[in-house]
Amino acid sequence: MALLALLEVDNVSRRFGGIVALDAVSFTAEAGEIVGLIGPNGAGKTTAFNVITRLYTPDEGDVRFNGETLLETPPSGIIQRGIARTFQNVELFRGMTVLDNVRVGAHARAGEQRPEDVLFYVNLHSVRHRSPLELPYATQKRVELARALASGPQLLLLDEPAGGLSHEEVEQLGKFIKRLRDDFELTILLVEHHMGLVMSVANRVHVLDFGEKIAEGTPSEIQSNPAVIEAYLGAPA
Amino acid sequence: MRSRLWLELSGFTLLALAVAALPRFISDFRARELAIVGMYFIALIGLSILTGYSGQISLGHGAFMAIGGYTTAVLSVNGVYGHQIRDLWTIPIAGVIAGLAGLLVGVPALRLSGLYLALITFGIAVSFPQLPKKFDHFLGGTTGKILDLAKPPFGLATTPNNWMYYLTWGIALVLLGAAWLLVRGKTGRALKAIRDSEVAAASSGVKLATYKTLAFGISAFYAGVAGSLYAIANAYVNPDVFPIILSVYLVVGLAVGGLESLVGLIAGAGLIYFLQNHADTVARWINQLPALNLDPKQPGIPSMIFGVVLIVVMLLLPTGAGGVARRLFGSLTTRFYTRS
Ligand SMILES: Nc1ncnc2c1ncn2[C@@H]1O[C@H](COP(=O)(O)OP(=O)(O)OP(=O)(O)O)[C@@H](O)[C@H]1O
Ligand SMILES: [Mg+2]
């Protein structure tokens, strides 16, 4: 097996009042992998992203990146460690142009990627002076992606990137995510409800249900895993 | 993008020319009025950096103006070790002292948002006038402190009012240019990012605490400079010179000027001046309306009128005067304006 995973989520728990959003969850992502993180609504996927990016502090456990803990890094220092993300419910800067949104992405790591180049890459250069509010939801998600890429990250966290896409567009997104990984030498952690997408791009998949990790494996292993099928279809009668 | 830069530069040049030429066409008294409008304008530029850009509200900016005014009074009357400082040189010092006070307020403000921040800063506005009363031999108590009358330097042949006009608007243009340089670059983007989404800003590497505190400090610096100029023009400070309501006026002026439009703020500053000095005129106008019969001499009527005018103005101009200008010249500017 690999000597050292790029990202190690180690026994992480996070509670909100009585809700256990993450219950001693562990998983890893190795350099160059596309790792799927799936699970029904409320399983704790977004919470995992928020713990990794330090927006939430875990009650227990540790998160390591390149072998060093992230827990001593403030949220604003995460991007400098090499981790960038997108948000499930688009968190764009509404009062700024598309270009300025992407420039903020390069705030802490200017010079890694030219914002204009990134916009060309994601095919948004022609709308760079527009307000993101004027763009369709799926395009807004692409602006967020460009903003994340502008920092030249090592690890990219994508929270439901297929939101607002049509069936054919989801297929294209799958190809795009792989190309992204290769062109930017990324490791990608992908949260997505669209199973077809996850199964076609992920090297490995981790499954959460009610805050607990219930399975891990290749896409084909996951698809035939009884615990996963039960979590998605509900308890058998 | 280029054309927007061009637009802003030519707007700035036009403003500078208008400022330079205006005194030839107006009376000495009007020059004095416009000088005071310029002071509110300076304070509003600072407040727009705080509220319009970083998204933090302050109902206590009158107190920062007062700190600037009192700094100037103390330095030019009490002096430092008995050495009185010329009023002109107290202006930057007043700005810095007020700015430091702003940084101090900015730190606890980090933990507050919205309504709580409004309440706390208003608390500062309300309690500030107690300071001169408490330290009355130093700050003059309720009787206040009398400054020397403003005198044009280097024997310039101009009236004190014209001198105040040029001084104020000269400083206003410099500070407007500085604010413009600040907000159009990395700092301005970071502040707006915080305003629009704190989580996304932090995840993009923007240090929230640093920028939010900085915004408080900068905006208080502007207020301090404005207060200092006001003290010089007024040649007198006491707690009533910077009344509590001044803080509210400033927020109103900002809302009218438009949160992000630096030039629209001149309109906001004009409105503050007008309403503060002519609320009874407005009352008389409204009395012309047949259905109403208000006596402007009755206590409370001017402020009631003021309130009504405010509400009407805010309803009419949800985007402020800057927004109206933008709508008028829409074809030119909406393309570049990112807020619909
Ligand atoms: N800030 C919070 N305060 C309180 N409860 C929270 C908070 N964040 C998450 N939770 C709770 O934690 C649980 C996991 O939420 P999370 O958003 O991580 O789920 P998810 O797997 O991303 O679901 P979805 O697929 O619907 O996005 C939910 O029960 C949610 O209500
Ligand atoms: Mg989620």
Side-chain angles (χ1 to χ4, degrees):
Chain A
M1 279 303 290
L3 303 166
L4 183 71
L6 182 69
L7 175 76
E8 298 167 82
V9 173
D10 183 6
N11 246 320
V12 163
S13 297
R14 172 70 216 220
R15 290 175 280 274
F16 296 102
I19 297 168
V20 187
L22 290 175
D23 190 358
V25 168
S26 299
F27 63 86
T28 61
E30 278 155 39
E33 270 191 317
I34 298 178
V35 175
L37 188 60
I38 65 169
N41 290 112
K45 307 178 294 291
T46 298
T47 304
F49 273 19
N50 287 341
V51 167
I52 295 167
T53 54
R54 298 290 292 113
L55 296 178
Y56 295 160
T57 297
D59 297 312
E60 281 134 40
D62 193 10
V63 182
R64 286 181 294 276
F65 187 65
N66 280 321
E68 283 171 47
T69 184
L70 286 176
L71 298 188
E72 266 132 51
T73 304
S76 62
I78 287 298
I79 204 147
Q80 244 150 344
R81 298 282 300 266
I83 304 176
R85 71 175 290 180
T86 66
F87 294 84
Q88 181 173 347
N89 307 305
V90 177
E91 290 277 348
L92 284 172
F93 308 123
R94 305 158 59 87
M96 289 190 223
T97 60
V98 167
L99 177 60
D100 275 351
N101 267 272
V102 177
R103 281 178 173 150
V104 174
H107 175 89
R109 308 225 307 181
E112 289 287 331
Q113 296 287 339
R114 283 191 54 232
E116 305 257 358
D117 294 344
V118 177
L119 282 168
F120 266 120
Y121 186 89
V122 301
N123 204 10
L124 286 176
H125 198 256
S126 57
V127 296
R128 66 193 181 285
H129 296 313
R130 302 262 295 274
S131 159
L133 299 181
E134 298 167 10
L135 305 172
Y137 187 71
T139 312
Q140 294 186 11
K141 293 225 119 179
R142 207 138 39 97
V143 178
E144 269 208 334
L145 176 64
R147 180 177 67 191
L149 290 174
S151 64
Q154 264 184 292
L155 174 66
L156 179 64
L157 312 181
L158 299 176
D159 200 343
E160 304 198 10
L165 292 186
S166 73
H167 207 75
E168 295 91 76
E169 286 169 330
V170 171
E171 240 165 67
Q172 288 171 8
L173 178 66
K175 294 202 190 91
F176 181 66
I177 289 176
K178 285 189 195 166
R179 193 151 56 84
L180 208 59
R181 186 242 335 245
D182 298 338
D183 291 350
F184 290 85
E185 295 172 359
L186 290 171
T187 304
I188 295 176
L189 193 55
L190 171 68
V191 163
E192 188 46 70
H193 282 291
H194 198 289
M195 282 311 135
L197 176 63
V198 180
M199 297 306 165
S200 68
V201 302
N203 304 100
R204 273 189 310 140
V205 178
H206 303 277
V207 189
L208 296 178
D209 188 25
F210 288 114
E212 287 181 50
K213 183 165 141 181
I214 59 168
E216 164 180 0
T218 62
S220 55
E221 285 165 4
I222 291 298
Q223 273 167 312
S224 54
N225 183 313
V228 176
I229 295 168
E230 189 183 308
Y232 271 94
L233 298 181
Chain B
M1 265 356 243
R2 283 250 171 286
S3 41
R4 167 161 193 184
L5 180 66
W6 197 84
L7 213 69
E8 287 176 338
L9 281 178
S10 43
F12 187 83
T13 313
L14 272 178
L15 180 65
L17 288 176
V19 160
L22 209 53
R24 293 172 193 283
F25 307 106
I26 57 177
S27 69
D28 194 53
F29 176 71
R30 285 271 179 264
R32 179 187 171 76
E33 285 192 301
L34 285 180
I36 293 171
V37 169
M39 294 164 200
Y40 294 136
F41 176 52
I42 292 170
L44 285 184
I45 298 171
L47 198 54
S48 85
I49 291 172
L50 183 69
T51 305
Y53 284 82
S54 89
Q56 303 177 93
I57 193 162
S58 168
L59 276 173
H61 256 52
F64 295 122
M65 280 186 70
I67 290 174
Y70 269 96
T71 303
T72 285
V74 167
L75 291 177
S76 60
V77 178
N78 305 29
V80 180
Y81 298 113
H83 201 86
Q84 286 163 339
I85 300 179
R86 232 218 103 136
D87 53 6
L88 209 53
W89 306 125
T90 68
I91 298 171
I93 304 174
V96 168
I97 302 268
L100 290 175
L103 289 178
L104 280 181
V105 174
V107 173
L110 293 173
R111 310 199 157 271
L112 306 164
S113 59
L115 187 61
Y116 295 101
L117 187 54
L119 279 174
I120 296 292
T121 49
F122 192 59
I124 293 169
V126 171
S127 47
F128 186 84
Q130 300 307 318
L131 270 185
K133 293 174 193 165
K134 182 119 178 86
F135 303 98
D136 56 349
H137 52 274
F138 185 54
L139 298 176
T142 41
T143 21
K145 289 184 103 60
I146 299 169
L147 288 75
D148 287 340
L149 284 177
K151 249 198 337 261
F154 325 117
L156 281 179
T158 178
T159 66
N161 285 338
N162 268 322
W163 159 239
M164 280 319 296
Y165 169 92
Y166 281 121
L167 178 63
T168 303
W169 280 98
I171 291 175
L173 287 174
V174 170
L175 292 184
L176 176 64
W180 181 71
L181 287 176
L182 184 85
V183 299
R184 71 188 296 273
K186 186 174 174 178
T187 308
R189 282 197 300 271
L191 292 175
K192 286 201 273 185
I194 292 170
R195 174 197 69 194
D196 290 348
S197 170
E198 290 202 354
V199 287
S203 296
S204 300
V206 177
K207 296 193 176 92
L208 303 187
T210 308
Y211 279 94
K212 288 173 92 168
T213 314
L214 187 72
F216 245 106
I218 292 171
S219 77
F221 171 87
Y222 277 71
V225 169
S228 167
L229 285 166
Y230 196 86
I232 295 170
N234 207 41
Y236 173 66
V237 293
N238 81 349
D240 294 335
V241 170
F242 302 101
I244 294 165
I245 194 76
L246 179 59
S247 295
V248 180
Y249 289 161
L250 287 168
V251 172
V252 167
L254 182 68
V256 169
L259 287 176
E260 252 185 66
S261 146
L262 290 174
V263 170
L265 295 177
I266 295 179
L271 185 82
I272 297 175
Y273 180 85
F274 182 76
L275 289 171
Q276 196 175 9
N277 296 282
H278 303 289
D280 53 339
T281 317
V282 183
R284 241 177 286 125
W285 289 346
I286 293 184
N287 256 349
Q288 311 289 321
L289 298 173
L292 285 169
N293 195 7
L294 300 173
D295 178 2
K297 300 264 161 13
Q298 286 277 309
I301 294 291
S303 35
M304 229 180 76
I305 302 284
F306 182 69
V308 171
V309 169
L310 279 188
I311 292 169
V312 170
V313 165
M314 304 263 239
L315 286 178
L316 285 179
L317 304 178
T319 50
V324 167
R326 237 172 246 120
R327 248 176 277 158
L328 288 177
F329 307 110
S331 55
L332 255 179
T333 52
T334 42
R335 242 163 8 110
F336 308 109
Y337 189 52
T338 55
R339 289 190 134 183
S340 44

